[in-house]
Amino acid sequence: EADIYQTPRYLVIGTGKKITLECSQTMGHDKMYWYQQDPGMELHLIHYSYGVNSTEKGDLSSESTVSRIRTEHFPLTLESARPSHTSQYLCASSPGLPSYEQYFGPGTRLTVT
Amino acid sequence: EDKVVQSPLSLVVHEGDTVTLNCSYEVTNFRSLLWYKQEKKAPTFLFMLTSSGIEKKSGRLSSILDKKELFSILNITATQTGDSAVYLCAVRESGGSNYKLTFGKGTLLTVNP
């Protein structure tokens, strides 16, 4: 059973607000990922990290930023939310070699009004 | 262009039917293909395939990979209403320390009683 948590699960917020989506895992995984998923669409990788103090942008351009100060924690921040940021955000982690399986958190559904 | 293409995009069957979901991919340096099941929330891991022709099986689900023709299929026999979900296919490319996955749009399976 994977232990990866995301908070909040649902968030409705006004335009211009700063928000931070939290993601934590207790499995000691080095690799962590943030995906954005719109209804009926594929998961798009927006950020990833292969370890503490290491972050990279993913395949889909995003105005969000991430940090990785601790192994277990990988928060995502939007400095100024806009309606175009409305989406589901999924966090995942993986142990890397020999298993590349990614374990997903329950997701945060963000609505920006 | 899409690197991972799943078909059909949606499928409606009756309990007891057998279904076959398809995933074709086009990547430069294929390393592995993963299948996930996504219900309302987080995707959960089903299978990882790296070698052609070797079937992976778990209960009523099975999957096989064809690296020559660049596709995989996921079979579900004797479907149940609990199998209703989006089934996601993802591909990992090799090279360096690449742990990223590229996802297809998914197949929405609805199993009616």
Side-chain angles (χ1 to χ4, degrees):
Chain A
E1 185 79 17
D3 295 317
I4 180 164
Y5 309 98
Q6 290 185 244
T7 57
R9 295 289 311 282
Y10 302 91
L11 179 62
V12 180
I13 200 161
T15 297
K17 301 288 186 184
K18 177 180 178 178
I19 57 171
T20 296
L21 307 185
E22 302 287 351
C23 175
S24 295
Q25 49 96 4
T26 59
M27 298 170 283
H29 290 168
D30 286 330
K31 284 74 179 173
M32 295 190 74
Y33 314 83
W34 275 103
Y35 291 89
Q36 185 174 339
Q37 184 182 33
D38 293 323
M41 300 298 289
E42 62 264 59
L43 279 75
H44 287 290
L45 182 68
I46 52 175
H47 298 282
Y48 62 99
S49 167
Y50 288 167
V52 171
N53 294 325
S54 157
T55 61
E56 301 284 346
K57 288 192 179 294
D59 303 321
L60 180 69
S61 175
S62 173
E63 293 165 349
S64 57
T65 59
V66 292
S67 62
R68 189 89 183 276
I69 299 172
R70 302 198 315 264
T71 297
E72 63 271 20
H73 196 212
F74 190 39
L76 180 145
T77 299
L78 277 164
E79 290 293 332
S80 179
R82 293 210 299 268
S84 61
H85 297 141
T86 295
S87 189
Q88 167 145 281
Y89 293 85
L90 287 162
C91 180
S93 72
S94 69
L97 284 169
S99 167
Y100 300 101
E101 173 188 347
Q102 292 185 11
Y103 296 87
F104 284 83
T108 294
R109 184 161 296 283
L110 172 66
T111 302
V112 183
T113 61
Chain B
E1 72 268 359
D2 292 341
K3 285 186 171 183
V4 181
V5 178
Q6 293 186 244
S7 63
L9 290 181
S10 66
L11 186 58
V12 181
V13 300
H14 288 103
E15 266 191 320
D17 288 349
T18 293
V19 297
T20 298
L21 310 183
N22 304 288
C23 177
S24 63
Y25 60 90
E26 191 173 331
V27 298
T28 307
N29 297 301
F30 174 85
R31 183 68 182 91
S32 57
L33 184 145
L34 292 84
W35 283 97
Y36 284 83
K37 177 183 181 182
Q38 184 176 23
E39 294 173 89
K40 292 240 182 260
K41 305 159 190 170
T44 53
F45 174 76
L46 295 174
F47 300 111
M48 184 172 76
L49 303 152
T50 55
S51 302
S52 277
I54 298 175
E55 185 183 53
K56 290 279 181 93
K57 196 169 171 65
S58 175
R60 295 176 293 103
L61 278 66
S62 63
S63 183
I64 198 160
L65 174 69
D66 186 328
K67 288 166 74 173
K68 183 179 176 186
E69 300 296 330
L70 308 184
F71 78 91
S72 172
I73 59 171
L74 175 68
N75 278 320
I76 308 176
T77 59
T79 52
Q80 302 171 356
T81 55
D83 295 327
S84 295
V86 175
Y87 290 84
L88 299 169
C89 172
V91 168
R92 176 179 168 262
E93 297 180 65
S94 63
S97 57
N98 185 10
Y99 298 95
K100 295 184 292 179
L101 297 177
T102 300
F103 283 83
K105 287 185 169 66
T107 294
L108 172 61
L109 174 65
T110 303
V111 182
N112 290 323

